[in-house]
Each structure stands twice: as C-alpha cells, then as structure tokens.
Amino acid sequence: MKHHQRNPRARGGRKRQSARRDPLIGFEAPVTIEQVGARGDGIAHVSAPDGRSVLVYVDCVLPGDEVRVALRSKRGDGYGAEVVAEIARTALFNEPRCSHFKECGGCALQHMDDDQYRDWKRQKAKVAVQRAGLDADEAERLVAPVEVSPAQSRRRAGFSVHVGATGVHVGFHGRFSHTVLNVPDCAVLRPELMAFRAAFVTFLEACPPDHARDIKEVFVTLADNGLDVVVHAAKDPDLDMRQDLAEFADDNDLARLSWKTGDEPDEPVAARRIPVVRFQGVDVAVPPGGFLQATREGERALVAAVTSALEKAQPRQVADLFCGIGSFTFALALAGKRRSTLAVESDPRAVELLQYAVGQSGSPIQVIKRDLFRQPLTGDELSNLDLVLFDPPRAGALSQAEQLAATGPEWVIAVSCNPATFTRDIRVLRNGGYELEQVVPIDQFLWSAHLEMFALLRRT
C-alpha cells in the first residue's frame, strides 16, 4: 500500500458550518384566520419583515378569529404557529368540552359549534369526491349528511405510557410533541376505557419502578363482553409481574390481558374469557389488539349503508375484501336474503376466528387467507360475483381497484378511512366505467380531522 506524504501547506478539511437559524422562527404578527385546513388547523397569511406573504398553520382557531401568533417551526410549505394572544374570537367559537383541548393532540376541532363541524366534515367528503373527477354540483348531490358518532363513544384506544422522575403518565402525546400527557378525563372515549386508565395508573404506581418503566403503550378495546387489553413493553414480565397483572385483570374484570414484547407475538397473561363482538346475531371472537370499527354507532351506520345498497343491487354472489373478523361479512351474507359470500383477509388470526364463527353459525360464507395487496382478485375470480365490497387499511386498495376497473362486477362498495386513498381508488374505478351512486361520510373520530367514507358504485 502506498503512503502519500501530506502537504503541510494543504488546507484542512472543510469546516463544518453551524446550521443557519431560520430568521422567521419566533417572529410574531397579528393574523386573521382565513379557513380551517384538512388537518383541522387554521390557515392564515403573515407579512414577513422582508415583505413576503408567508403561509401559517395555527391550532385551536376558527375562520374569522383575530389572533397574534408566533412562528414556531417549518411545516410543509409554511410555518406552524402558536397563538400568543387573542384579539377577537368569532361568534361561532364553542367552548371546548375537554380540559386538555389545547395540550392534547387527539382533538383538533372541539371549539367548532356542531353545525359548523358537520359542514366542515361534509365539505371534506365533497372535496374527496371532486378530486375523483366529479364537479361541485355532482358532489353536492351525491354526498349525504355526515353520520357523527356521539361524545364518549369510542371503544378502542392506545394509551402511551411514560414512567419517570415526574411520576406515572398514561395518556396521549401532546400536540406536535412526544411528551405524554395524563388525561384523567376524555370527552371522546367510552367511560369503561377511562376507568381502566385510572386503574392502570394506580397499578403502575404500585409496581417496582424498573418494571413499570418497561411498559411503553397499552391498547384497550371494549368488546361486547368486556375489555381486551394488550400491554406493549420493552422486556418480558417476570413471575411477580405476571402474578400482579393476573390480579389486576381479576380486580378490574378484564376479559383478557396480553403482553407484547417488541416485535414478538403477544402472549395472554390473564385470559378470563374470550372477547367477542356480535355481527347479525353471530358471536365472533376478537384477536388481541384486533381491529374493530372505532365506535358501535359508526359500525351501525356503515352496516345500514351496506344493507341499503344490498336492497338496491339485489346481488346473489358477493365478496368482502379486507374483511377482518367480519364487520360487514355477516351483513352481506345474512341481511335480508341469504347470499353466497366470499370473505378475504390476510391476517391469519382474523381468518381463523372468522372461519370458526362461520362454522358455528352455518352462514353461507367462504373465508380464505390472501394478501390482496400482492394478489388481488382477478378477472376469472371476479366474473361470478354480482357485488364486491372492499374496506382496506389507510393505504387503500390500488391493485384491487385496478382489477375491479378491468373486470369487476356491476356493483362495488368502497369503504375507506383515508379520503386521499379513497379519491385515488374511486378515480381508478371511474376510469374503468363505474359511476358513483351514493357517498356517505361517517365520523367515528369526533372532533378530529379523520373521516370514514362509504361509496356505492355501479358499472355503466
């Protein structure tokens, strides 16, 4: 190996320059809020010192509010800003229902009055429909009023956990923050979940600190026969912790308590009874941490929309894609007339539990395990169907939508929890010859920017 002599006159390496501080961070100015954006934050423009018009996103405000803001961080094409002084509030400002409103990152829109809130959510649905290629008049005609779940109705939640020098914190992250806020009261969660949270705080306070610090999150789902709890932690529990958890489950009448370490499979610690939910009179077991619609009211609204579509389409052969444990499967198969139903899901535990429930009930349902992202139903498999329903995760169902556009049946029902991927998938279906017949926006995440969409399409 050759060794090169370093030239003593050579300059040293390039000096690292310290990152330049954005001169607008910390800048304050009065603004008038122009509108509420898609994430639920207020949008306004600020005149910067150099004369530029700068876009700012402001939390906890409404159109017409006059406030003084300080720019805190770069956000997309503008800046996130914080209200430092209220100058004048619009008459539509509503007193928030929750004492944690301005701190907690869960609810962005509690300060809207009910009518304004419904209009904002419906407008969000209309924008999604227009982006799929329809004009404003068509969107106005097709989009139904929003079905809003009431306060204290959400039946599942993931509580973040932090145990440290300041004590035990079980709650949610602060707005645009990693700090875990204690939330002893919550305006959206079912009382059963909040009672569990209070009991779990007491449990952690009594635990050895080293063991309590291992716990990072706890996911709670209210099934029809009790709470299903999954504790996410950094280490496995020792024997003493297992015994304490079993006693905690008994004391609080939990249906099941499981422990999950990192990416390892969850392990039942106290399985007192199998959590179940009922669809069309059929009991279906819920896997630990399994997916359910966020509220019972939202689930009923979606099933009602599906049932109405079935009455209109009168199908005989149907398919439920991304079916989970059967939120819509049994309605497709049993509502009104019995129908031959194909149910497709990739999660092996959901498939196993749904197959068992189908076998016990004698329903005309065939359940198969299949990854529809990689292996969507194709022409030959779609040719015998009269109607297909798909309810994918937030990523949407692009591959399956493309197959449906090419060789799908006369009727398609699309359910989506993401208006952006809903727009994309509907555009693909419309390019393949489908037209929208009906759109129902369903709000299961009260006072947040999230929105569920139901759409009925027919091949023209």
Side-chain angles (χ1 to χ4, degrees):
M1 178 184 292
K2 293 183 179 179
H3 296 277
H4 298 279
Q5 292 280 344
R6 178 173 177 143
N7 184 347
R9 291 182 172 183
R11 282 175 139 187
R14 182 177 294 176
K15 294 181 180 179
R16 286 190 64 175
Q17 295 181 347
S18 57
R20 242 189 243 177
R21 184 177 183 277
D22 190 324
L24 286 181
I25 300 300
F27 173 70
E28 293 188 15
V31 299
T32 299
I33 304 303
E34 300 159 17
Q35 60 178 307
V36 174
R39 294 171 62 180
D41 40 18
I43 295 177
H45 287 81
V46 167
S47 293
D50 61 4
R52 288 183 299 134
S53 178
V54 177
L55 183 67
V56 294
Y57 301 94
V58 189
D59 295 323
C60 308
V61 292
L62 293 175
D65 283 349
E66 297 177 35
V67 292
R68 186 174 184 83
V69 300
L71 277 58
R72 297 303 189 202
S73 61
K74 195 78 175 73
R75 190 190 299 178
D77 53 350
Y79 289 81
E82 177 185 12
V83 174
V84 294
E86 297 180 4
I87 300 170
R89 284 285 197 182
T90 175
L92 294 175
F93 182 82
N94 199 47
E95 194 63 33
R97 285 77 156 175
C98 177
S99 60
H100 312 291
F101 169 61
K102 290 188 177 181
E103 300 173 307
C104 179
C107 298
L109 299 165
Q110 280 193 23
H111 56 310
M112 276 188 172
D113 70 41
D114 292 343
D115 291 339
Q116 186 185 27
Y117 175 74
R118 287 175 180 273
D119 289 344
W120 185 82
K121 283 275 171 120
R122 184 167 183 264
Q123 182 62 30
K124 192 179 178 80
K126 286 162 60 179
V127 168
V129 169
Q130 288 177 253
R131 287 177 176 169
L134 285 80
D135 63 32
D137 289 339
E138 291 175 308
E140 176 64 34
R141 175 179 60 84
L142 288 170
V143 177
V146 184
E147 299 277 355
V148 180
S149 295
Q152 295 187 308
S153 65
R154 197 171 320 162
R155 60 178 171 178
R156 56 182 173 87
F159 293 107
S160 297
V161 178
H162 176 74
V163 179
T166 56
V168 173
H169 300 265
V170 178
F172 303 117
H173 287 112
R175 197 176 298 276
F176 302 110
S177 167
H178 295 293
T179 302
V180 178
L181 298 174
N182 268 322
V183 284
D185 60 299
C186 178
V188 298
L189 296 184
R190 288 283 299 257
E192 295 93 333
L193 272 65
M194 295 308 297
F196 165 84
R197 182 213 156 270
F200 197 62
V201 168
T202 302
F203 171 78
L204 291 177
E205 289 172 341
C207 281
D210 288 344
H211 293 171
R213 277 194 289 268
D214 290 337
I215 297 174
K216 305 303 179 185
E217 292 179 289
V218 57
F219 288 86
V220 190
T221 302
L222 179 61
D224 289 354
N225 61 339
L227 292 174
D228 181 33
V229 177
V230 182
V231 176
H232 288 236
K235 296 179 183 178
D236 291 336
D238 62 12
L239 181 58
D240 289 340
M241 176 62 100
R242 290 175 184 273
Q243 292 175 338
D244 291 344
L245 287 167
E247 290 178 10
F248 174 76
D250 282 339
D251 292 343
N252 292 277
D253 193 28
L254 304 184
R256 178 174 61 202
L257 190 151
S258 305
W259 186 279
K260 182 173 174 61
T261 303
D263 295 329
E264 296 297 316
D266 49 74
E267 175 192 359
V269 175
R272 303 176 66 250
R273 54 187 178 273
I274 297 173
V276 297
V277 288
R278 174 162 287 203
F279 303 128
Q280 297 291 312
V282 178
D283 285 338
V284 184
V286 181
F291 174 81
L292 292 179
Q293 295 295 332
T295 69
R296 288 194 179 104
E297 292 82 358
E299 181 180 272
R300 283 196 287 266
L302 284 165
V303 170
V306 169
T307 303
S308 176
L310 293 172
E311 292 173 356
K312 185 172 185 177
Q314 293 294 312
R316 292 176 296 176
Q317 306 279 339
V318 300
D320 183 7
L321 310 184
F322 307 94
C323 66
I325 60 170
S327 297
F328 305 121
T329 308
F330 291 95
L332 288 170
L334 304 176
K337 299 177 182 177
R338 290 168 67 91
R339 300 170 195 85
S340 177
T341 302
L342 173 67
V344 186
E345 172 58 42
S346 62
D347 181 358
R349 291 194 296 186
V351 169
E352 180 182 355
L353 294 172
L354 182 55
Q355 285 175 332
Y356 180 81
V358 167
Q360 292 294 104
S361 65
S363 304
I365 299 168
Q366 178 191 4
V367 185
I368 62 173
K369 178 183 176 298
R370 181 162 168 173
D371 184 345
L372 291 166
F373 291 110
R374 298 183 178 184
Q375 192 185 1
L377 265 62
T378 59
D380 290 343
E381 297 163 304
L382 295 170
S383 61
N384 293 325
L385 298 171
D386 304 310
L387 180 147
V388 167
L389 181 151
F390 64 89
D391 179 18
R394 289 187 62 81
L398 179 58
S399 296
Q400 188 59 72
E402 289 172 341
Q403 293 296 327
L404 288 167
T407 56
E410 180 181 1
W411 296 92
V412 168
I413 294 174
V415 180
S416 173
C417 60
N418 184 348
T421 54
F422 169 86
T423 293
R424 181 201 64 199
D425 294 346
I426 296 299
R427 189 185 300 119
V428 169
L429 291 170
R430 292 190 70 247
N431 289 340
Y434 285 94
E435 288 299 335
L436 278 166
E437 297 266 321
Q438 181 189 24
V439 177
V440 182
I442 295 173
D443 181 17
Q444 299 193 70
F445 292 87
L446 187 64
W447 300 318
S448 79
H450 294 292
L451 185 64
E452 198 107 7
M453 304 277 284
F454 168 96
L456 175 64
L457 302 98
R458 187 177 191 180
R459 188 180 287 282
T460 56

